[in-house]
Amino acid sequence: MVEVIARAVLRSFGRHAVRLDRKPGVVQIPIPDSIPHAVTTKPESYHAMPETNDSKKEATRNVPCKHAWSRQTNVRQNLHHAPLRFASTAAAAAASAASAQDALSLLTRIKNLLLGTTIGFTLILGYYYVTDTRASIHEWLVIPCLRYVYPDAEDAHEFGNRALKALGRFGLHPRERGHLDAKGDLAIDVFGHMLDNPIGTSAGIDKHCDIPDQLLAAGPAVIEIGGATPLPQEGNPKPRVWRIPSQRALINRYGLNSEGADHVAMRLRQRVREYAYHMGLGIDEEAEQRILDGDAGVPPGSLQPGKLMAVQIAKNSWTADEDIEAVKRDYVYCVDTLARYVDILEVNVSSPNTPGLRGLQKTEPLTDILTAVVEAARKVNRRTPPKVMVKVSPDEDSEVDVRGICDAVWNSGVDGLVVGNTTKKRPDPIPNGYLPPAQEQRLLLEQGGYSGPQTFDRTVALVKRYRRMLDENSYTGIPERTNSFSSSSSSADTPSSSSNATQPSAASPSTDTATSPSLASTSNPPLARAERARKVIFATGGITNGAQALEVLAAGADVAQVYTALVYGGIGTISKIKREMRDELKRRKKQ
């Protein structure tokens, strides 16, 4: 019977060794941790078996059968209460483990919460920092990386535009934060619009109208797109742009590469219609016309209050300069195609990289071209036609050249001048006596237009001359400009050195104006009184900081434009210039 019980144990606890001793009366049964009740059942008949001498030898490990029942009985009595004891112990262990697990889970959740919050705040702060034009990363990290990755300046320019365009789709492009212009300390009236500030960007930054809104977000009050030509043209062969790092200057001979006026107009039209859609006016032609007529309360070009957008137009390179009628057709085509969607049309007759173009700055051909452009602009299907300006070269700076251009401006009825462009000359290095590296000296021999800080003094001098000559033909009844950009040092040279175009008063013209040699020498009929309003001047060339911007404004310019400074200073250049202007104006007030 004992053997039957042992086999039952073997079946129930295979992991415990049960061995039947061959010696009579002895069975070895290791007691497991728990024994089922079936094992502890008393056999029906129990007969004690005598011990033998052999069994005594293994007394330490063998259990005499006569004691088996008493041991099994004790085990049975102990195991009768074992389930309760084991259950309570297991429950306590489980509760303890669960409590420890809960504590660990709570600690993990707190860590994850802190980590997630830190990452979230870091991303938010990083977003606001990187997308702020005032962040130094744009000048000291982005620009050096671009120059390192793209040794060719044109490749870097194109990548920068593509990056801004892509970021703009998701609202991640840099922008000027803080609404600093809302204080109005830099506000100026130009063409009847109260602009946020007198800073603009020159043409060439956004040639194909890829990033107009991204440029406006960087802080300027005036941006230029283009130049645009009637038909697409490739421009000059590459490479055609070079950096002069020691002078923070550029040499370019792009040759007015353009995707064509129709392509630019398509993008401008799409931009207007998207704006109309977001304003709840629809996306059809009627909605477009309402925006262009000013029903939205914003300029039809910039689509933002306090800002203006200009487009530069030029003739195709294969149009013969001697055929003035063909040249006029080129410019008029650009006007008919683009004028509806911009605030200012800028006629480029001063690019140094298009052969023969600067010859159009002579008085007679320039007058014919500008007159045709003005007449076409006034026929634009819009409530208020765009203003017309002409961009002149800094190299035609003789008294005869300047006088002839001013005559053409007055006789054609254009609204202003853009004084300055790249120059064919090579200014002396800065500082005086500095010898550029050999590589830069070789680059200076490349043909093309030069731009950089070295051209600033010539820009200021030209602005003063154009302001003086243009004002000689304006009515004396027009009040002088009085704004915070005027300085006592420049007021003597330029009596009305820094304000904007204003409407003429009812005063009569002076005798000097009526007998002006420039007017008497022309055969055109006298202009209407309203056209004697003071001409607007945009100045471009060498402006890199706030002090220079204030100086050129005090010399008679209405807007100071930058280009090369953006190449070396990054997207935050406009914000930096305006900050320096404010600091200088505050300093002047304290004196």
Side-chain angles (χ1 to χ4, degrees):
M1 189 67 182
V2 173
E3 184 176 350
V4 172
I5 295 174
R7 293 186 183 279
V9 172
L10 179 62
R11 288 194 299 270
S12 300
F13 305 96
R15 63 188 180 88
H16 297 287
V18 177
R19 181 174 62 85
L20 298 178
D21 199 307
R22 296 300 180 184
K23 299 176 182 180
V26 178
V27 60
Q28 178 179 340
I29 307 177
I31 303 301
D33 294 337
S34 60
I35 300 177
H37 295 289
V39 179
T40 61
T41 304
K42 180 178 178 181
E44 295 179 357
S45 62
Y46 174 77
H47 303 281
M49 294 183 176
E51 297 182 1
T52 63
N53 294 332
D54 294 337
S55 63
K56 291 181 181 180
K57 295 179 182 179
E58 298 180 1
T60 57
R61 60 185 181 89
N62 294 334
V63 180
C65 289
K66 66 179 181 180
H67 300 298
W69 167 246
S70 68
R71 182 170 182 177
Q72 292 174 2
T73 302
N74 292 337
V75 170
R76 180 185 61 189
Q77 293 175 350
N78 291 337
L79 293 178
H80 179 73
H81 302 286
L84 295 178
R85 183 175 73 250
F86 292 160
S88 67
T89 303
S96 177
S99 177
Q101 184 66 26
D102 290 342
L104 182 61
S105 177
L106 177 61
L107 181 61
T108 301
R109 287 196 297 269
I110 292 175
K111 289 181 178 179
N112 291 339
L113 178 62
L114 292 177
L115 179 61
T117 303
T118 302
I119 293 175
F121 274 110
T122 301
L123 291 176
I124 293 173
L125 292 176
Y127 163 76
Y128 277 98
Y129 175 77
V130 173
T131 59
D132 193 328
T133 56
R134 295 170 294 181
S136 59
I137 188 176
H138 299 298
E139 179 178 3
W140 302 111
L141 179 61
V142 175
I143 295 300
C145 288
L146 277 178
R147 291 172 57 184
Y148 179 79
V149 175
Y150 296 99
D152 184 86
E154 184 174 0
D155 292 341
H157 184 180
E158 292 177 351
F159 174 81
N161 283 11
R162 289 197 303 269
L164 284 176
K165 185 176 182 179
L167 292 172
R169 293 195 184 105
F170 304 99
L172 300 176
H173 59 283
R175 79 245 6 227
E176 189 174 65
R177 299 188 183 276
H179 304 288
L180 300 178
D181 289 333
K183 297 183 293 185
D185 52 347
L186 297 181
I188 186 171
D189 185 280
V190 175
F191 295 134
H193 297 274
M194 185 57 66
L195 301 186
D196 292 339
N197 60 77
I199 305 300
T201 61
S202 296
I205 297 174
D206 185 13
K207 286 179 172 289
H208 314 303
C209 192
D210 292 317
I211 51 171
D213 293 309
Q214 288 86 330
L215 284 182
L216 287 168
V222 179
I223 66 167
E224 285 187 28
I225 59 175
T229 56
L231 298 176
Q233 62 182 32
E234 292 294 331
N236 294 320
K238 297 181 179 181
R240 52 192 179 186
V241 187
W242 299 270
R243 305 184 189 98
I244 312 295
S246 70
Q247 302 299 296
R248 296 179 71 88
L250 289 176
I251 295 176
N252 89 80
R253 58 165 179 258
Y254 276 112
L256 287 171
N257 55 307
S258 172
E259 295 180 353
D262 293 297
H263 183 86
V264 175
M266 177 186 66
R267 291 182 175 175
L268 290 173
R269 180 171 57 252
Q270 179 67 19
R271 180 171 173 267
V272 170
R273 293 198 175 190
E274 288 179 357
Y275 181 84
Y277 178 78
H278 290 303
M279 293 293 293
L281 301 177
I283 200 169
D284 54 6
E285 292 184 6
E286 181 180 355
E288 174 188 327
Q289 190 63 45
R290 292 185 63 183
I291 297 298
L292 297 178
D293 286 338
D295 291 350
V298 294
S302 68
L303 302 178
Q304 296 185 26
K307 298 179 184 291
L308 298 175
M309 184 172 70
V311 61
Q312 184 186 104
I313 59 176
K315 74 177 187 67
N316 281 119
S317 58
W318 54 79
T319 303
D321 304 308
E322 299 80 11
D323 190 350
I324 298 301
E325 292 302 318
V327 173
K328 288 163 59 176
R329 284 195 298 270
D330 275 10
Y331 284 104
V332 169
Y333 181 87
C334 291
V335 174
D336 294 339
T337 306
L338 299 167
R340 297 186 71 224
Y341 306 106
V342 298
D343 305 308
I344 303 170
L345 288 165
E346 181 184 295
V347 180
N348 184 359
V349 291
S350 59
S351 171
N353 302 310
T354 303
L357 185 63
R358 288 189 170 183
L360 300 177
Q361 293 181 104
K362 296 179 180 179
T363 306
E364 185 175 352
L366 183 59
T367 302
D368 289 344
I369 294 170
L370 295 180
T371 300
V373 170
V374 170
E375 291 176 354
R378 290 175 179 172
K379 296 177 183 177
V380 170
N381 182 22
R382 207 173 76 182
R383 186 175 300 165
T384 304
K387 301 297 181 179
V388 179
M389 303 182 74
V390 57
K391 187 166 188 174
V392 297
S393 166
D395 295 332
E396 278 66 42
D397 57 355
S398 68
E399 190 74 12
V400 174
D401 292 333
V402 174
R403 177 69 66 181
I405 291 173
C406 290
D407 288 348
V409 167
W410 280 113
N411 296 334
S412 62
V414 301
D415 302 286
L417 276 173
V418 179
V419 177
N421 204 329
T422 56
T423 176
K424 292 182 177 180
K425 300 177 181 179
R426 297 295 180 261
D428 294 332
I430 297 177
N432 292 333
Y434 174 78
L435 184 64
Q439 181 181 1
E440 293 186 5
Q441 293 185 40
R442 289 193 298 270
L443 293 178
L444 289 171
L445 300 177
E446 293 284 352
Q447 292 184 356
Y450 184 97
S451 62
Q454 299 82 0
T455 64
F456 175 72
D457 291 337
R458 294 186 65 201
T459 300
V460 173
L462 271 177
V463 168
K464 289 181 179 180
R465 294 174 64 187
Y466 275 108
R467 174 53 67 201
R468 176 175 55 83
M469 291 189 182
L470 288 173
D471 287 352
E472 287 178 358
N473 289 341
S474 63
Y475 281 111
T476 57
I478 300 175
E480 294 183 0
R481 299 182 302 174
T482 55
N483 63 25
S484 57
F485 308 134
S486 301
S487 64
S488 58
S489 61
S490 61
S491 60
D493 296 330
T494 55
S496 50
S497 58
S498 38
S499 183
N500 64 341
T502 57
Q503 296 300 322
S505 68
S508 300
S510 66
T511 304
D512 294 339
T513 302
T515 60
S516 170
S518 60
L519 291 179
S521 63
T522 61
S523 59
N524 294 47
L527 296 174
R529 190 181 191 83
E531 293 175 333
R532 284 303 184 196
R534 197 166 184 276
K535 301 300 183 183
V536 172
I537 292 180
F538 290 1
T540 180
I543 301 169
T544 59
N545 55 56
Q548 290 178 332
L550 287 173
E551 185 176 349
V552 79
L553 292 170
D558 299 277
V559 172
Q561 296 181 298
V562 298
Y563 178 92
T564 307
L566 280 169
V567 173
Y568 286 93
I571 196 69
T573 300
I574 305 296
S575 298
K576 179 181 178 181
I577 289 176
K578 293 194 296 184
R579 182 177 67 251
E580 293 171 347
M581 291 175 67
R582 290 188 173 97
D583 293 342
E584 177 62 21
L585 292 175
K586 290 178 182 179
R587 186 189 64 80
R588 291 181 185 178
K589 289 181 180 179
K590 293 179 180 180
Q591 290 180 349

